Amino acid sequence: MRRAGDHASLEQLSALIDGELSAEERGAVEAHMATCARCRDDLDQLNRTVSLIRGLPVPAPPRSFKVASESRLVAPRPAPDLPWLRPLAAAAAALLVVSLAGIVLVGPRARTALESANAGLGAPVAAQLPRAPLGLQEMAQPDSAVTADAHAALEAPRMRGPAVGTALDSGAAVAPPATVVAPDALRAIEAGMATPTLAGAGQPLPPALGRRAVLEGGLVRVEQPTGAFSVADAVHAVVYLPLEGATSAATSSTYTWQVAGQREPLTATVPLRIAESHSLAYTHGCALARDLDPQASNTPLSLRVEVAGEEVARFIIRVARGPATVSPASCSAAGES
Amino acid sequence: MGPITPLDEERWTRAARGGDIEAFDHLVERYESMAYHVAYRILQDPHDAADATQEAFLSAYRAIGSLRGSFKPWLVRIVVNASHDLRRRVRPGRTTSIELVEEETGDPRWLSDPTMDPEGAAISLEVLATIEEAMGHLPEDQRLAITLVDLHGLTYGEAAQAMECPVGTVRSRLARGRDRVRELLITAGSLE
């Protein structure tokens, strides 16, 4: 329907059908149509088209989407927030720390690599186990289930990147180095969530990460690889995510800890928590190193963190013999406010 | 349940903002069909659409405190975003240029969807197929505008809010989309 000259435009005819013309515009269009057979025909044709479109059936939803059954996982946020309006520039950052010793690893999120690493990973079939087996503790919510994956990831470990002594953020093509920060640093990051952000290139970093952290292409990178733990340590994993995309819709994260010599990993569901700044979501999971590798065999073990079915971080952990780097090793001593 | 009045909706929205999950579920019940359909029109896959719809409602519940204005366009906005997010996850690296949309949506899969009931349609299967094919070939923006205005009765203002664009853009997307459908109907002999 190409229209020109004095004729009513396609947009005008279309809006006329919907009663969405201003009184003035409508008057002009109707006055024109009174004398223009072509515009009347066009309107008639468009009208019939719209009637046919409006006769399209609407598919029935396959199920109910009520949220009450999910209420354990969700809670309205008290303050206004519009995560879906946030720019997509923010980067996810993952931190793996030894309790109180404060080894912090911050790695980039390599989405493409992550998703290829995810390919073929079946959804965990969770079998309920008694709470907190093997000392695995889930930090954030007392009633969260601790589950064991019936199909062990050991069958097809998809570990990438450097192996020995390196904790790395999942599947990233380039292993993110880590850095050691002061014990207070983690607490500062956690406590100071209201002000610092890990948003993106050009954004300020949490002061706690200090000069050893750099932003590169919107991703956080810090120095000095680590991932080796003492059998006496507690392994805390903190994953920070921008409040966008999947994160804005997700309500919980899943931590899947590979256990040395066992087929079944330990799986814990941890609620996503919103930082006071409302610019980040974060989750905090913890396991005792001795539960992950009782023999301290130094076997590389994966820790997979998923949000909304997407792997957002993966770490490789090794547990070796030796004195504790911290004392006491505990899953409740650090990181929680 | 009797007919739902705007007053009911206002009451539910207010209660939901206060954390009343049952009230929120009244809103879910009221709008889940629309939400699913919007997600379906964007993703053109029933499973993806269901996932996106669920994510959208959870997201909406978490963010209901930020709601200003009416629920419907606000919810559609969330559904659109959840659908886009899901598509990014499911099909990483794919963009939504017009060419790609056309390439991906050329097959009117909806017609073979078991949840569809063509018998209940007010138009013949042949015309239905033609319109579905035309819809499938439309750029997503135009398809969405038609879905919102023609199939779910949003005003231009509400559609603009839902699509985060000026009212004039809604008007133009709608006109172009309808015109494209009209052309296809004529080509198929379903419209004189």
Side-chain angles (χ1 to χ4, degrees):
Chain A
M1 198 181 284
R2 298 274 177 254
R3 310 189 60 82
D6 294 334
H7 293 294
S9 71
L10 171 66
E11 283 190 23
Q12 285 174 325
L13 294 181
S14 173
L16 183 66
I17 292 171
D18 299 317
E20 291 269 0
L21 285 181
S22 67
E24 186 186 357
E25 201 174 6
R26 182 179 165 184
V29 169
E30 284 178 344
H32 168 76
M33 294 220 299
T35 60
C36 179
R38 181 181 153 190
C39 279
R40 283 198 302 274
D41 288 347
D42 285 348
L43 178 66
D44 177 57
Q45 211 174 51
L46 198 60
N47 231 331
R48 282 183 288 140
T49 302
V50 170
S51 295
L52 289 173
I53 291 173
R54 290 179 180 173
L56 281 180
V58 171
R63 56 186 161 87
S64 163
F65 297 106
K66 290 183 178 179
V67 302
S69 59
E70 311 272 352
S71 59
R72 192 177 62 81
L73 300 176
V74 297
R77 283 181 230 146
D81 192 17
L82 294 171
W84 56 92
L85 292 179
R86 291 183 184 285
L88 303 180
L95 293 92
L96 182 62
V97 302
V98 177
S99 172
L100 299 179
I103 296 172
V104 176
L105 177 87
V106 182
R109 181 185 199 182
R111 183 176 277 270
T112 307
L114 291 190
E115 280 168 355
S116 60
N118 270 340
L121 273 184
V125 177
Q128 289 279 345
L129 285 185
R131 264 203 82 226
L134 303 170
L136 177 73
Q137 293 179 38
E138 178 278 311
M139 300 295 295
Q141 188 159 306
D143 67 345
S144 285
V146 176
T147 62
D149 189 341
H151 301 291
L154 285 179
E155 288 173 1
R158 286 174 171 79
M159 299 173 189
R160 291 169 167 230
V164 182
T166 302
L168 73 161
D169 185 33
S170 79
V174 179
T179 192
V180 175
V181 298
D184 288 344
L186 174 68
R187 287 194 290 274
I189 293 171
E190 297 263 351
M193 287 298 286
T195 44
T197 87
L198 288 173
Q203 295 296 310
L205 280 171
L209 288 178
R211 286 187 296 272
R212 281 171 288 197
V214 293
L215 270 175
E216 205 170 63
L219 303 171
V220 180
R221 183 173 70 79
V222 287
E223 276 95 359
Q224 195 174 331
T226 186
F229 294 84
S230 155
V231 71
D233 288 326
V235 181
H236 289 262
V238 182
V239 179
Y240 291 100
L241 296 156
L243 259 182
E244 52 95 356
T247 317
S248 67
T251 54
S252 64
S253 57
T254 304
Y255 282 69
T256 304
W257 304 80
Q258 188 182 357
V259 179
Q262 289 190 29
R263 292 174 63 84
E264 286 81 18
L266 296 169
T267 305
T269 301
V270 180
L272 268 187
R273 308 172 74 201
I274 310 298
E276 282 174 45
S277 65
H278 281 222
S279 63
L280 289 172
Y282 68 105
T283 74
H284 182 179
C286 180
L288 298 178
R290 65 169 181 268
D291 294 332
L292 300 175
D293 189 354
Q295 307 300 315
S297 64
N298 211 31
T299 310
L301 304 169
S302 69
L303 162 60
R304 206 167 73 232
V305 183
E306 292 175 279
V307 173
E310 183 187 17
E311 185 175 280
V312 295
R314 179 179 294 211
F315 304 99
I316 302 295
I317 300 158
R318 287 172 177 271
V319 178
R321 296 188 184 283
T325 38
V326 295
S327 178
S330 163
C331 275
S332 56
E336 292 295 292
S337 51
Chain B
M1 187 189 299
I4 293 158
T5 68
L7 212 62
D8 287 329
E9 188 169 319
E10 207 179 299
R11 189 161 42 83
W12 291 335
T13 306
R14 200 167 44 242
R17 290 183 58 177
D20 183 342
I21 199 165
E22 303 295 333
F24 185 83
D25 274 346
H26 280 303
L27 294 169
V28 174
E29 200 172 6
R30 170 86 176 82
Y31 288 115
E32 61 189 355
S33 174
M34 177 199 71
Y36 174 72
H37 187 212
V38 168
Y40 196 123
R41 285 292 176 188
I42 294 171
L43 295 164
Q44 315 223 65
D45 176 277
H47 302 292
D48 286 354
D51 288 349
T53 305
Q54 186 70 76
E55 286 181 14
F57 277 120
L58 289 173
S59 190
Y61 181 62
R62 287 173 61 197
I64 187 93
S66 70
L67 170 62
R68 304 286 179 270
S70 63
F71 184 78
K72 191 176 177 181
W74 178 81
L75 175 68
V76 173
R77 178 73 244 148
I78 295 175
V79 172
V80 170
N81 279 324
S83 302
H84 289 165
D85 288 342
L86 189 130
R87 179 164 56 204
R88 274 196 292 273
R89 284 205 305 279
V90 173
R91 290 182 261 171
R94 303 297 289 272
T95 62
T96 52
S97 71
I98 289 170
E99 289 73 22
L100 269 179
V101 167
E102 293 191 352
E103 180 188 311
E104 289 166 6
T105 59
D107 172 29
R109 267 176 283 173
W110 196 15
L111 292 175
S112 55
D113 180 350
T115 66
M116 271 301 304
D117 175 22
E119 297 299 318
I123 49 183
S124 77
L125 272 180
E126 193 185 338
V127 174
L128 174 66
T130 305
I131 297 177
E132 277 302 334
E133 191 187 344
M135 289 282 277
H137 279 82
L138 289 180
E140 185 187 300
D141 286 344
Q142 295 175 21
R143 189 166 64 232
L144 191 54
I146 287 178
T147 302
L148 297 181
V149 174
D150 283 335
L151 297 173
H152 293 287
L154 270 73
T155 64
Y156 285 17
E158 288 173 333
Q161 203 181 329
M163 296 171 74
E164 284 186 314
C165 67
V167 169
T169 307
V170 171
R171 176 168 135 155
S172 131
R173 286 173 181 169
L174 195 57
R176 281 182 287 132
R178 286 168 168 175
D179 193 43
R180 191 92 172 257
V181 175
R182 183 192 63 83
E183 283 169 0
L184 259 114
L185 283 169
I186 289 172
T187 307
S190 302
L191 192 71
E192 304 167 353

